[in-house]
């Protein structure tokens, strides 16, 4: 029983997809974890519902402190999107935003989260976007050079300071130079030690006092051949702790991801991460296997199969982490939800997105456009609707040009690129990139190419307005 309570305090867990049953609540109250992770699509229907859920989880965990976490990067990775206007992807902001602006955006994000009851945000991404075909980092990254990422991630961290919400640099020691999504398989970063030192390590080394780090489910043959960083003691202890000087809390990325889970039970994954020196284990999706993993890991502690010196070294780090981030106050939690957004928030974000647009080519002659293809959107109206709202008529059967609007984290296949080239060569085409926009460089036949690197509803509306301005012969920003 006591060992289960001890190991539960090293776990951050998701909640059941069908809600909190009496049996689950009883187990949660008996073995409260260090924290929970919430996802909007799974766990709450609106922000008021999120507040109620978080209050209930804290009530169940008392008298233990419970950290409530989520992934709130803005743009593609956001739990607030659809409920409030969120900032665009980091790559979009990195094109135009200075440090003060990034700090302001981060501060608004932190205050929003704390007022909802959240006190840990798994952001910012500190990976250097050095591989253009990276399918999982891409526009989430704050830049393509170590200096740019270091400065921008540092500005984000500064915006969170004093907010009560902990930040988290991810994915250490660097996930930018990979061509595999660690959610689906195990990536390998073949960079040499000297390259890792001069590129991947730089943003993490530059911020040794960040609140927390999240490990990468990536193999680095130059550091520990064949072993993902999450399970590698030479990386977690030797690189993150000793070489990079990080002294705060280290949490794994979600252990259900195939980059971590393949060939391992949840208990085996957790024990391997603890043996590497990780402080906390993230199980983002609750099921009975996670409960059984708690039993198994507790037995391992009792049987002496866990390195106690390494295990016990976590305690002061967690205590300091707790002390540095106060739970949201009753006054914060009572703030009207509409007060969470500054009056000039949307206007300022719109201006940043507009200035960040990269436009290449010329708008075809004529007055109408026809959207022949667009991605599916998690929130907001279609891109075709955004064009109509911007005053561009639908060309019907005889448009001046076709529009293809693509939002994909995954690089387009060679076959898809060939099809876009053929389409663009056959008739005037406007290509709009709204996520990983590398494909735009590979389709020179398009009459006009517009890169936003973000697909939020606000970004789509700004792109539509820019196209309307180009139709009207206006070439400057709105």
């Amino acid at each position: 029983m006591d060992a289960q309570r001890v190991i539960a305090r090293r776990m951050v867990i998701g909640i059941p997809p069908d809600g909190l049953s009496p049996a689950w609540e009883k187990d949660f109250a008996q073995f409260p974890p260090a924290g929970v992770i919430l996802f909007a699509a799974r766990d709450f229907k609106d922000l008021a519902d999120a507040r109620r859920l978080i209050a209930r989880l804290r009530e169940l965990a008392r008298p233990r402190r419970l950290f409530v976490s989520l992934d709130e990067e803005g743009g593609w990775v956001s739990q607030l999107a659809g409920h409030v206007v969120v900032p665009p992807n980091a790559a979009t902001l990195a094109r135009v935003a200075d440090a003060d602006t990034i700090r302001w955006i981060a501060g608004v994000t932190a205050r929003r989260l704390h007022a909802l009851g959240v006190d840990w945000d798994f952001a910012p991404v500190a990976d250097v976007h050095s591989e253009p075909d990276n399918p999982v980092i891409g526009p989430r990254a704050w830049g393509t050079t170590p200096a740019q990422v270091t400065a921008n991630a540092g500005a984000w961290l500064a915006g969170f300071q004093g907010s009560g919400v902990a930040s988290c640099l991810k994915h250490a020691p660097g996930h930018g130079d990979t061509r595999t999504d660690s959610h689906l398989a195990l990536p390998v970063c073949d960079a040499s030690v000297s390259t890792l030192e001069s590129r991947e390590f730089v943003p993490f080394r530059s911020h040794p006092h960040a609140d927390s780090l999240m490990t990468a489910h990536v193999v680095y043959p130059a550091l520990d051949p064949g072993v993902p960083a999450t399970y590698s003691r030479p990386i977690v202890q030797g690189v993150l702790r000793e070489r990079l000087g990080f002294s705060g809390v280290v949490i794994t990325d979600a252990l259900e991801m195939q980059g971590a889970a393949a060939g391992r039970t949840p208990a085996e994954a957790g024990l391997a991460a603890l043996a590497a020196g990780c402080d906390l284990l993230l199980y983002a999706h609750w099921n009975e296997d996670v409960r059984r993993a708690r039993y198994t890991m507790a037995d391992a502690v009792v049987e002496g199969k866990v390195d106690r010196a390494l295990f016990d070294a976590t305690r002061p780090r967690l205590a300091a982490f707790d002390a540095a981030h106060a739970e949201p106050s009753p006054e914060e939690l009572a703030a009207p939800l509409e007060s969470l957004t500054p009056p000039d928030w949307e206007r300022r974000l719109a201006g940043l997105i507009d200035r960040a647009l990269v436009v290449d080519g010329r708008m075809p002659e004529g007055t109408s456009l026809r959207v022949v293809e667009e991605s599916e959107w998690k929130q907001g109206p279609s891109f075709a609707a955004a064009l109509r709202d911007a005053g561009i008529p639908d060309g019907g059967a005889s448009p001046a040009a076709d529009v293809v609007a693509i939002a994909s984290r995954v690089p387009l296949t060679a076959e898809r690129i060939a099809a876009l080239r053929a389409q663009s060569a056959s008739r005037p085409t406007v290509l709009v990139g709204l996520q990983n926009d590398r494909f735009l460089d590979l389709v020179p036949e398009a009459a006009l190419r517009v890169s936003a690197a973000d697909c939020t509803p606000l970004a789509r509306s700004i792109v539509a307005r820019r196209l309307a301005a180009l139709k009207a012969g206006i070439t400057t920003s709105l």
Side-chain angles (χ1 to χ4, degrees):
M1 183 77 73
D2 288 342
Q4 280 200 65
R5 290 196 175 101
V6 168
I7 206 71
R9 298 302 293 172
R10 300 300 169 85
M11 300 170 70
V12 175
I13 64 173
I15 67 173
D18 52 355
L20 311 186
S21 68
W24 187 89
E25 287 192 345
K26 180 179 178 180
D27 183 81
F28 186 89
Q30 190 171 10
F31 304 106
V36 294
I37 181 170
L38 302 181
F39 295 95
R42 182 190 72 189
D43 299 328
F44 54 89
K45 64 180 184 294
D46 55 38
L47 299 186
D49 190 37
R51 272 181 165 172
R52 288 190 293 270
L53 172 64
I54 292 168
R56 178 57 178 161
L57 292 169
R58 290 198 190 280
E59 179 185 10
L60 291 169
R62 302 280 186 215
R64 295 286 193 174
R65 170 69 186 274
L66 182 74
F67 273 89
V68 179
S69 66
L70 42 66
D71 290 304
E72 187 57 40
E73 301 170 16
W76 182 272
V77 181
S78 172
Q79 312 314 312
L80 301 184
H83 306 294
V84 291
V85 174
V86 300
N89 282 323
T92 303
L93 292 174
R95 292 176 179 177
V96 295
D98 59 20
D100 287 341
T101 300
I102 295 171
R103 190 179 304 115
W104 173 72
I105 291 171
V108 172
T109 301
R111 289 189 293 275
R112 282 174 156 180
L113 294 177
H114 214 226
L116 291 174
V118 174
D119 42 18
W120 196 0
D121 183 17
F122 295 139
V125 169
D127 304 312
V128 179
H129 183 41
S130 54
E131 170 51 68
D133 287 329
N134 191 311
V136 67
I137 302 302
R140 300 166 61 196
W142 280 101
T144 58
T145 69
Q148 187 182 25
V149 174
T150 296
N152 290 335
W156 186 273
L157 294 176
F160 269 64
Q161 286 180 355
S163 69
V165 181
S167 55
C168 183
L169 288 176
K170 61 185 186 184
H171 307 80
H175 202 331
D177 187 20
T178 59
R179 297 175 68 119
T180 302
D181 184 346
S182 51
H183 292 85
L184 307 176
L186 179 59
V188 175
C189 175
D190 286 317
S192 66
V193 172
S194 61
T195 298
L196 292 170
E197 286 276 6
S198 62
R199 189 179 63 193
E200 272 70 24
F201 293 176
V202 173
F204 298 100
R205 181 190 290 116
S206 300
H207 301 295
H209 303 298
D211 297 319
S212 60
L213 291 186
M214 178 176 283
T215 60
H217 300 326
V218 175
V219 171
Y220 306 85
L223 301 176
D224 193 359
V227 183
T230 298
Y231 304 136
S232 170
R233 190 161 180 167
I235 294 178
V236 176
Q237 291 297 107
V239 174
L240 304 187
R241 296 284 186 207
E242 297 170 13
R243 192 180 301 186
L244 304 186
F246 184 71
S247 58
V249 169
V250 172
I251 184 170
T252 71
D253 205 342
L255 293 174
E256 300 90 348
M257 294 165 59
Q258 286 302 299
R264 296 177 177 85
T265 66
E268 290 169 341
L271 289 171
L274 291 174
C278 295
D279 297 307
L280 294 174
L281 313 172
L282 177 59
Y283 294 96
H285 303 281
W286 176 264
N287 55 44
E288 282 302 308
D289 289 340
V290 175
R291 191 198 310 273
R292 285 192 288 270
R294 190 183 68 216
Y295 299 153
T296 302
M297 290 189 288
D299 287 343
V301 171
V302 172
E303 295 165 6
K305 297 178 181 179
V306 172
D307 184 328
R308 286 308 300 236
L310 197 61
F311 190 79
D312 291 344
T314 289
R315 290 179 179 173
R317 289 193 284 268
L318 293 179
F321 188 73
D322 186 343
H325 304 96
E327 282 190 22
S329 67
E331 291 75 20
E332 286 177 297
L333 296 174
L337 291 174
E338 58 271 17
S339 71
L340 304 184
T341 300
D344 60 345
W345 175 251
E346 186 168 339
R347 177 185 61 79
R348 290 182 65 174
L349 292 182
L352 291 166
I353 294 168
D354 184 66
R355 289 192 289 115
L357 297 181
V358 178
V359 179
D360 183 55
R362 295 178 61 84
M363 176 65 77
E365 296 293 332
T367 60
S368 64
L369 297 174
R370 175 181 61 188
V371 177
V372 295
E373 179 187 342
E374 62 176 302
S375 299
E376 294 184 5
W377 314 111
K378 293 189 286 187
Q379 297 94 24
S382 67
F383 189 66
L387 286 175
R388 290 194 295 271
D389 290 344
I392 297 180
D394 188 324
S398 304
D402 291 340
V403 176
V404 177
I406 298 176
S408 174
R409 284 201 306 184
V410 179
L412 302 189
T413 65
E415 293 77 12
R416 185 74 183 90
I417 294 296
L420 286 174
R421 295 189 68 179
Q423 175 180 341
S424 299
S426 66
R427 60 172 284 102
T429 300
V430 176
L431 287 185
V432 178
L434 296 160
Q435 195 64 14
N436 185 334
D437 294 353
R438 172 170 164 73
F439 75 94
L440 295 174
D441 295 331
L442 306 178
V443 190
E445 294 83 359
L448 182 66
R449 294 172 291 177
V450 181
S451 169
D454 182 72
C455 64
T456 57
L458 180 60
R460 301 201 301 272
S461 70
I462 295 302
V463 173
R465 288 164 54 190
R466 176 63 72 87
L467 293 180
L470 291 171
K471 274 289 183 190
I474 303 171
T475 58
T476 57
S477 296
L478 302 178

